[in-house]
Amino acid sequence: ILPAHYTLYQRTLVLGLLIGIYPLGQLIGSPILGALSDRYGRRLLLLVTLPGAMLTYVAMAVSVTPFSLTSLATALFFAGFAEGNVVIAQSSIADISNETNRTTRFAYISVAASLAFVVGPLFGAFLSDPTVVSWFSLATPFWFAALFFAILIVWIYCSYRETLPLEAREDISIGQSFLNLKLIFTHPTLRPYFLVNLLAYLGVFGFFRLFPQYLVNQYQISHNWLCLSMVNLDGPIVLISLFLITPIVRRYRIKTLL
């Protein structure tokens, strides 16, 4: 997207900002959408936010074709905001779980997410390769992602049943949901666990964001091979989440494993 005269430093800086815009949207969207789902229910918020997410992928597809950096960044931010609804999906799992099966079910969430990181790059490598189909381009994966969102909306509308009963709903203000974030820094019991999560995610996402840049800069690989290399990295995560997490958790305490 960037002009040829941009240096490697400038390209890396712009890429870092682009990568950061999406989770920034999630950071802002998650507390807002979480509070609204506690007040109005999970199903309604999913049906409201998923069309918004679908439209952001349409916007990204349109932005990639003429290489519009500003519109791509804007679409990324609002995609992150709308996809803050991942906390609603997680809350739905928590609503129908108990102490016995909660850890296992959240491990399945990790499996689903890891599978997406395997399947997504595979689709991306295939759908963006014009040698496979002449009209495939860098925009094609975004169009297909929007299509998947449309299918998901219909699926949730037809089959999803509300997990949060009326008597369990809370009238939590959006402002209060942001104020609750201070517990990350002030709560004496929770603070160490949030710190552990921060460091774990910093290591994991730091590696997964920087490694593709290293491959491109060091070996000048194409985006197709880049996608396949990410599949190679994510595959073991799926296997561990699917086959090892549950038996290990049953045998050892969570604190011991951490």
Side-chain angles (χ1 to χ4, degrees):
I1 293 178
L2 298 176
H5 66 270
Y6 270 57
T7 65
L8 177 62
Y9 169 76
Q10 291 171 320
R11 294 175 183 277
T12 305
L13 180 63
V14 171
L15 179 60
L17 291 173
L18 274 179
I19 290 174
I21 285 174
Y22 177 87
L24 176 63
Q26 278 192 313
L27 179 66
I28 297 173
S30 295
I32 295 175
L33 300 179
L36 291 174
S37 74
D38 286 338
R39 184 189 303 180
Y40 300 109
R42 318 296 189 207
R43 186 175 186 272
L44 176 62
L45 264 295
L46 285 174
L47 289 175
V48 169
T49 55
L50 285 173
M54 180 185 70
L55 291 176
T56 62
Y57 279 86
V58 172
M60 279 186 262
V62 174
S63 301
V64 167
T65 303
F67 302 126
S68 174
L69 190 61
T70 303
S71 58
L72 179 60
T74 304
L76 277 169
F77 174 81
F78 285 104
F81 184 94
E83 290 178 31
N85 60 13
V86 67
V87 300
I88 303 175
Q90 293 171 345
S91 298
S92 297
I93 299 296
D95 291 338
I96 59 175
S97 302
N98 53 44
E99 292 297 330
T100 303
N101 57 27
R102 181 175 290 113
T103 301
T104 300
R105 289 182 175 180
F106 272 84
Y108 290 153
I109 294 178
S110 177
V111 171
S114 299
L115 277 173
F117 277 110
V118 171
V119 176
L122 278 176
F123 270 98
F126 176 78
L127 293 171
S128 60
D129 189 352
T131 63
V132 176
V133 177
S134 61
W135 51 269
F136 281 180
S137 69
L138 291 177
T140 313
F142 296 102
W143 288 114
F144 271 82
L147 175 62
F148 292 153
F149 269 108
I151 295 171
L152 180 59
I153 292 166
V154 175
W155 188 5
I156 288 180
Y157 180 81
C158 296
S159 64
Y160 182 93
R161 298 294 177 263
E162 180 59 59
T163 62
L164 186 67
L166 289 173
E167 61 272 14
R169 298 182 185 182
E170 302 178 25
D171 190 13
I172 300 176
S173 69
I174 294 175
Q176 184 61 45
S177 66
F178 277 103
L179 290 176
N180 289 340
L181 291 176
K182 70 179 181 181
L183 294 175
I184 296 174
F185 307 101
T186 60
H187 197 287
T189 305
L190 295 177
R191 184 169 55 192
Y193 293 100
F194 281 121
L195 178 60
V196 168
N197 273 274
L198 171 64
L199 295 176
Y201 277 103
L202 183 63
V204 170
F205 284 105
F207 172 78
F208 274 90
R209 298 303 193 190
L210 290 173
F211 187 64
Q213 296 183 50
Y214 170 77
L215 290 178
V216 172
N217 294 335
Q218 186 72 17
Y219 301 105
Q220 290 78 48
I221 65 173
S222 66
H223 69 276
N224 304 66
W225 282 104
L226 185 62
C227 290
L228 295 176
S229 70
M230 300 312 294
V231 172
N232 189 51
L233 285 174
D234 290 311
I237 299 177
V238 176
L239 297 177
I240 290 172
S241 300
L242 193 58
F243 297 110
L244 292 182
I245 292 296
T246 298
I248 290 176
V249 166
R250 288 174 178 170
R251 185 170 181 176
Y252 300 101
R253 297 171 59 206
I254 296 293
K255 185 176 181 179
T256 303
L257 293 175
L258 287 173

